[in-house]
Amino acid sequence: MVPLRGRSEELGRLLEALRAAEGGTASLAVIAGEPGLGKSALVAAAVEQAERQGVLVAQATAQQTDDISPLSSLAPALRAGREPLIDTEHFMELATLNTQPLWLAERLADLVGRRLDGTNALIVLDDAQWSDPLSAFALRVMIARLSTHQLLWLVATRPAPGGVADQLVNAVRTQIPVHTVELRPLSAEAIQDIAKDRLNGPVDEGLAHQLAGVQGSPFLAEQLIAGLYLTTAGSGVAGVGPVGPLLAAGLPTGPLAPGLVEGVRRRSSGLSELARTLVRTAAVFGSEFRLEDVAALMSEPVAKLATALDEAIQAGLLTDAGSTLRFGHELLRSATLADVPPSAQRALHGAIASQLVAAGRGAAAAAPHVLAVAQQGDTNAVATLRQAAHELLATMSTTAAEVIQQAFDLTPIDDPLRAEVGVDVVAILLSAYQYDRAKAFADDLLGGTALYHGPVTPDLRASIRLHLAPRQWVTSRLERQDLFAPGAATHLTERLTAYRTLLAPDEVSPTDLLPRLTDPVARAIVLAAAAEAARDEGRYTTARGYYVEAREVTPDLGSLPDTLLEVGELYCRAEADELPQALKRSRELMTAGDWQSAAHLSVLHARLEYAAGNLDAAEEEARNGQRWMNDLHETALVPVTQQVLALIALLRGHSTKAREFAGADPIINALLAITDGDTKALPRLRDVPHGFPERVSILVQADAEDLLAAQVEASPCVAALGARELVAAGADLKRLAAAAEQLRGADRPLLAAQADDRYGRAELETGDRATGVAVLEQVLDTLTTLGATAPAAKIQATLQSAGVRRRRWSAVPARAEAGWEALTPMERRVALLVAEGHTNRSAAEQLVVSASTVGTHLRSVFGKLGVNSRVQLTRLVLERFAPPPNA
């Protein structure tokens, strides 16, 4: 390989990142630089060094035409080479997920992660500024998910503020190291060294003078040296001959160096007329094209163009990529276009667009050429672009959003068609998950701004508001003032009225409104409102029925997302004795459901896994949900995932971690206070709201028999029935045994273990010791298997205090040696009382122990917490508890 000149520092940084990856530190490296500064050469050098070191390399280069083909930029990196990252079978499977970008990215991360497990790898994407939106999104997700692999991601791009590279950096910079390598023009010495390498000898004075004018661009230097600017006199063959002055040496302020244009012109002069026509026509097609398309446009047989194509390839202008042809560099294409008059370019673009549509290639393929020639008021161009946007919507929603916006811009400001296209803009922006942009556009369209001066009819207003309403409901941004359109068609008015029941069901009763509605979609929305109200009251069976009926309506303008309705239905099914079935379906929806509902799906799935006692799966799903919410900029459901994570941390005995998740959540903070020995916090558990994860279990802990009875009355499921009986049983061993047996059939192992714990302790204390020990030992094994080590540790301590001996106890983690977790329950109670201002004597009276015992515990507290005074202890407790523990 030819030496890389003038980039030793930049290459060294990349190799350092590669070595760090080998040591287990994944990172992202971004090479940024203007065209012609050698980004691809630096990438090639890094790839060569990586392969020499035995690193697995996967690489791809994005093309300008990628933005209409999903995953086209990244796919070659996944499929190329003798050992592709994804095999054919799995890659074909991914095609079914093109319309679900989040699920596709997750699946990609899973497949690549398995393939690279324990393998040092380098994944490269060159010319990332042209990456298709799905590839860019998949990269963001994959880099974050594979942050623990021995992996360096290398992205080369032109400077593009807010572009693909910036999006990647912003998305992953908090998770992995990011290395930015900004390429600047090479030094004059490096340029001279490049010339010596290419000539395999010294540089004469004339060439040295010419090289001084390339202003540090290795690409221009390479083309000059290779004879792209000049040909051997009279031969018509490219080479290095006598060097004459360039028309204007160097890089001007414009996009192209005149010297480059002149060089391409001189190189083309050695081609046949047919080859020159081929190259110029191809330049209008784009940086990548098919020979058959150019042949059709030129009305020439493909076979006749074979010789002309070979000339262009030999001249270094084109390269053969197999199924397509490409220009050797985008600058070569740009320089070629400089010799095609603007009028000819316009005519060619129009002919290309017509040809692609006529050949059945679709409006999306023709769209770039339509845009190149369209003028405002061109209704045919607007129609083609609208069709292209809808073709792209399923798999390339981001591109579709840009295309429909361009169609809108081509319609006159006072043309009624502009409003029609504007509705498309709102709908497609929402499909592209660009809610804020859609809302702002809609407000401008309806608000009489410079965006649109035509008539705003009631139906137009209602239609746009109904496009927005489902997404506003999902993101909790539904506003009453947006739900009115006086004079609109009856079905539109009914749908807006129905949304007002979702916003304020107390003002407009859903059940009262239902009989008056004639529109099916409006009825479905009101049924969803009734379901939400019933669910909030704990009437899960009733709510489930409403959800099911709402889902039977055929979707239309304003319909709520079916996946979200099913999420509500599954939650109610889980609360109505169908947890296993609901959990199975939620797992299916995690890859088959609407990806835009990913946040709601993840919350549902995490809660159901937690209810089923699958703590590891629940934690993973809650964390996945938080990452997806971050990816989708949707944080409304983060508190629910925090609740699940906090509850899991408490079961595992990680109270510090639980406190980090708890925030201001009153129930979690009450549970933390109880864990820390604050028995006065128990009554606060009675305030647990409907919808709190495993609410029944919390009410059992609070001995809230009346609230459990109310829950049974609202929804008589096995869990609520058994829990009410468990609490009502008191110390009655027979009733406790029956309640525990009943709860074993509720498919909620943690709740069943809670019941068996009560029953076993009661038997141990006042009944049959052998039965009590057997029951508690079984609970201990169950909780240990589930990973609920905190309650398991308490049961183990109870059994040991009762004199039970085992050759080997369950793997309950040993207590920490320092910090709050190191305190025993009695030490925590002492710490809390002292922080409240008690003396040793008054604390002893509270605890019914001697003052000297309190002193002993207090000295142990001081040692474990690293404090040496009551003042320091009080400050530490107040920092830990907000509000104070017994507030």
Side-chain angles (χ1 to χ4, degrees):
M1 183 174 179
V2 177
L4 182 68
R5 297 296 185 179
R7 300 297 187 199
S8 57
E9 179 184 349
E10 291 89 344
L11 181 59
R13 292 173 61 187
L14 295 179
L15 296 180
E16 184 180 347
L18 196 60
R19 286 191 292 272
E22 186 175 8
T25 303
S27 62
L28 167 66
V30 177
I31 303 173
E34 297 292 346
L37 288 184
K39 298 184 295 295
S40 296
L42 181 57
V43 166
V47 166
E48 181 192 28
Q49 293 291 334
E51 289 177 333
R52 285 182 180 178
Q53 297 171 25
V55 175
L56 175 63
V57 176
Q59 59 181 328
T61 300
Q63 304 296 325
Q64 274 188 306
T65 54
D66 284 355
D67 61 354
I68 62 171
S69 301
L71 211 64
S72 54
S73 303
L74 188 59
L78 305 174
R79 295 287 298 127
R82 289 176 297 178
E83 300 180 57
L85 298 182
I86 299 178
D87 60 35
T88 301
E89 179 183 355
H90 284 130
F91 192 76
M92 296 303 293
E93 168 198 322
L94 291 172
T96 63
L97 297 176
N98 276 350
T99 59
Q100 303 282 13
L102 187 57
W103 304 148
L104 183 142
E106 289 291 328
R107 181 63 174 148
L108 277 176
D110 178 59
L111 292 171
V112 173
R114 293 183 190 181
R115 171 68 180 82
L116 296 182
D117 190 24
T119 301
N120 192 20
L122 171 66
I123 298 181
V124 180
L125 180 61
D126 199 0
D127 280 334
Q129 72 276 358
W130 290 325
S131 178
D132 68 273
L134 184 55
S135 290
F137 179 78
L139 276 174
R140 293 203 301 273
V141 174
M142 292 171 67
I143 293 174
R145 300 300 184 270
L146 302 178
S147 59
T148 59
H149 282 65
Q150 298 166 251
L151 180 57
L152 172 62
W153 301 85
L154 179 55
V155 172
T157 181
R158 295 180 184 180
V164 172
D166 283 356
Q167 293 170 22
L168 289 179
V169 170
N170 291 335
V172 306
R173 69 191 327 158
T174 60
Q175 297 163 299
I176 62 172
V178 175
H179 314 278
T180 301
V181 179
E182 294 186 8
L183 295 192
R184 303 192 181 282
L186 289 177
S187 65
E189 182 181 0
I191 293 292
Q192 295 293 322
D193 287 340
I194 289 174
K196 293 175 184 177
D197 293 335
R198 299 303 183 270
L199 297 173
N200 197 25
V203 178
D204 63 41
E205 183 179 350
L207 179 57
H209 175 73
Q210 299 290 351
L211 290 172
V214 302
Q215 294 189 355
S217 168
F219 173 77
L220 291 182
E222 291 273 4
Q223 300 309 312
L224 176 63
I225 297 163
L228 183 58
Y229 293 168
L230 304 172
T231 58
T232 301
S235 69
V237 179
V240 178
V243 181
L246 293 175
L247 292 181
L251 292 171
T253 57
L256 286 176
L260 176 59
V261 175
E262 177 64 14
V264 171
R265 187 175 296 151
R266 295 193 182 193
R267 174 62 61 87
S268 299
S269 67
L271 304 177
S272 66
E273 181 62 32
L274 186 62
R276 286 198 300 273
T277 303
L278 168 64
V279 171
R280 291 174 181 174
T281 304
V284 180
F285 261 98
S287 58
E288 186 177 47
F289 58 93
R290 297 183 186 182
L291 181 60
E292 55 267 36
D293 289 337
V294 176
L297 193 65
M298 293 174 61
S299 300
E300 298 283 0
V302 172
K304 185 177 178 180
L305 290 183
T307 301
L309 173 62
D310 186 59
E311 289 182 55
I313 292 174
Q314 292 300 319
L317 295 173
L318 300 179
T319 61
D320 194 333
S323 60
T324 60
L325 296 163
R326 297 171 184 164
F327 277 83
H329 195 285
E330 180 59 21
L331 289 176
L332 296 179
R333 173 180 172 253
S334 299
T336 301
L337 275 176
D339 264 352
V340 182
S343 57
Q345 290 189 39
R346 288 183 57 81
L348 283 170
H349 279 302
I352 291 169
S354 299
Q355 175 187 309
L356 292 175
V357 172
R361 297 279 293 281
H369 302 285
V370 171
L371 286 168
V373 298
Q375 295 181 342
Q376 193 173 57
D378 186 339
T379 56
N380 289 332
V382 171
T384 301
L385 293 175
R386 290 179 72 182
Q387 182 182 343
H390 285 96
E391 286 179 7
L392 292 165
L393 185 57
T395 56
M396 300 287 287
S397 59
T398 302
T399 302
E402 299 310 314
V403 171
I404 196 63
Q405 180 70 62
Q406 290 164 327
F408 178 82
D409 292 341
L410 286 174
T411 58
I413 197 169
D414 56 352
D415 190 334
L417 177 62
R418 191 170 174 92
E420 185 180 324
V421 181
V423 174
D424 283 353
V425 173
V426 173
I428 291 175
L429 285 173
L430 291 169
S431 296
Y433 218 81
Q434 298 182 35
Y435 168 77
D436 290 337
R437 185 176 164 190
K439 179 67 164 60
F441 180 92
D443 289 344
D444 284 345
L445 190 69
L446 299 177
T449 67
L451 196 66
Y452 174 57
H453 288 171
V456 177
T457 65
D459 281 5
L460 172 62
R461 184 177 300 278
S463 295
I464 289 180
R465 292 308 180 194
L466 285 170
H467 274 296
L468 291 166
R471 191 68 207 148
Q472 288 177 299
W473 178 61
V474 170
T475 57
S476 302
R477 300 180 186 178
L478 198 59
E479 298 177 359
R480 187 177 181 82
Q481 64 267 25
D482 291 335
L483 301 176
F484 293 90
T490 301
H491 69 290
L492 300 178
T493 301
E494 285 193 358
R495 293 176 193 184
L496 289 174
T497 302
Y499 268 104
R500 293 203 293 275
T501 66
L502 273 175
L503 186 65
D506 294 336
E507 294 181 18
V508 184
S509 169
T511 51
D512 290 344
L513 182 60
L514 272 174
R516 306 200 299 269
L517 297 175
T518 59
D519 177 65
V521 172
R523 286 184 56 82
I525 297 168
V526 173
L527 285 167
E532 295 282 305
R535 177 176 156 184
D536 289 343
E537 295 169 1
R539 297 183 290 119
Y540 300 114
T541 303
T542 301
R544 177 192 172 184
Y546 286 138
Y547 281 125
V548 170
E549 190 176 351
R551 293 184 60 213
E552 292 173 352
V553 175
T554 302
D556 197 2
L557 175 63
S559 291
L560 293 168
D562 183 73
T563 299
L564 289 188
L565 294 176
E566 188 170 8
V567 164
E569 177 192 339
L570 291 177
Y571 178 84
C572 294
R573 287 179 63 184
E575 293 294 329
D577 297 332
E578 293 186 39
L579 176 59
Q581 298 91 325
L583 183 55
K584 179 182 178 182
R585 177 58 181 159
S586 78
R587 288 170 178 164
E588 293 172 353
L589 287 174
M590 293 311 295
T591 55
D594 173 18
W595 71 276
Q596 293 193 0
S597 302
H600 291 77
L601 284 170
S602 66
V603 169
L604 170 73
H605 196 187
R607 292 184 62 166
L608 297 190
E609 293 283 12
Y610 176 75
N614 304 323
L615 302 187
D616 289 342
E619 179 181 29
E620 180 182 5
E621 196 53 51
R623 293 189 181 280
N624 281 341
Q626 289 184 333
R627 286 196 293 266
W628 294 338
M629 292 173 206
N630 184 60
D631 290 338
L632 302 174
H633 308 291
E634 186 173 304
T635 58
L637 294 174
V638 168
V640 187
T641 59
Q642 299 284 73
Q643 287 176 342
V644 173
L645 291 170
L647 290 169
I648 293 170
L650 282 170
L651 285 172
R652 290 173 172 166
H654 303 154
S655 60
T656 297
K657 186 179 293 186
R659 194 171 302 281
E660 292 172 1
F661 293 130
D665 190 292
I667 300 303
I668 300 295
N669 280 301
L671 290 171
L672 281 163
I674 293 167
T675 299
D676 289 335
D678 180 11
T679 56
K680 296 178 182 178
L682 266 171
R684 288 155 55 189
L685 296 183
R686 291 177 54 86
D687 296 329
V688 61
H690 286 288
F692 190 89
E694 293 305 280
R695 176 176 183 263
V696 167
S697 177
I698 304 293
L699 293 177
V700 168
Q701 190 169 348
D703 284 320
E705 182 182 351
D706 56 335
L707 295 177
L708 286 167
Q711 181 61 64
V712 168
E713 184 177 352
S715 185
C717 63
V718 171
L721 286 165
R724 179 190 63 179
E725 181 60 22
L726 181 72
V727 173
D732 187 323
L733 295 176
K734 186 175 181 180
R735 291 182 68 184
L736 283 172
E741 180 62 30
Q742 185 175 15
L743 285 171
R744 292 187 199 109
D747 295 312
R748 282 171 157 75
L750 290 169
L751 180 59
Q754 189 179 11
D756 282 331
D757 185 9
R758 282 200 176 206
Y759 169 54
R761 289 178 186 275
E763 286 281 12
L764 189 63
E765 293 170 4
T766 62
D768 184 340
R769 170 185 165 84
T771 299
V773 168
V775 170
L776 290 177
E777 287 189 317
Q778 180 61 48
V779 178
L780 174 61
D781 292 340
T782 298
L783 291 173
T784 303
T785 300
L786 294 175
T789 51
K794 293 179 180 178
I795 294 174
Q796 180 172 304
T798 298
L799 290 170
Q800 289 172 331
S801 297
V804 176
R805 297 290 179 265
R806 280 187 173 188
R807 177 173 296 179
R808 189 172 181 182
W809 286 98
S810 301
V812 176
R815 186 179 299 278
E817 295 182 359
W820 193 265
E821 283 74 17
L823 304 185
T824 66
M826 180 59 79
E827 289 169 349
R828 290 180 181 180
R829 295 179 69 186
V830 168
L832 292 171
L833 289 170
V834 169
E836 289 178 348
H838 284 274
T839 64
N840 285 12
R841 185 172 299 280
S842 64
E845 292 173 355
Q846 288 275 334
L847 298 172
V848 195
V849 296
S850 68
S852 62
T853 299
V854 169
T856 300
H857 287 308
L858 189 56
R859 285 192 295 274
S860 179
V861 168
F862 281 5
K864 291 177 179 179
L865 297 183
V867 300
N868 52 29
S869 71
R870 291 172 178 264
V871 172
Q872 289 179 334
L873 174 61
T874 300
R875 184 181 299 115
L876 188 151
V877 171
L878 290 177
E879 289 174 354
R880 183 176 179 82
F881 290 93
N886 291 331

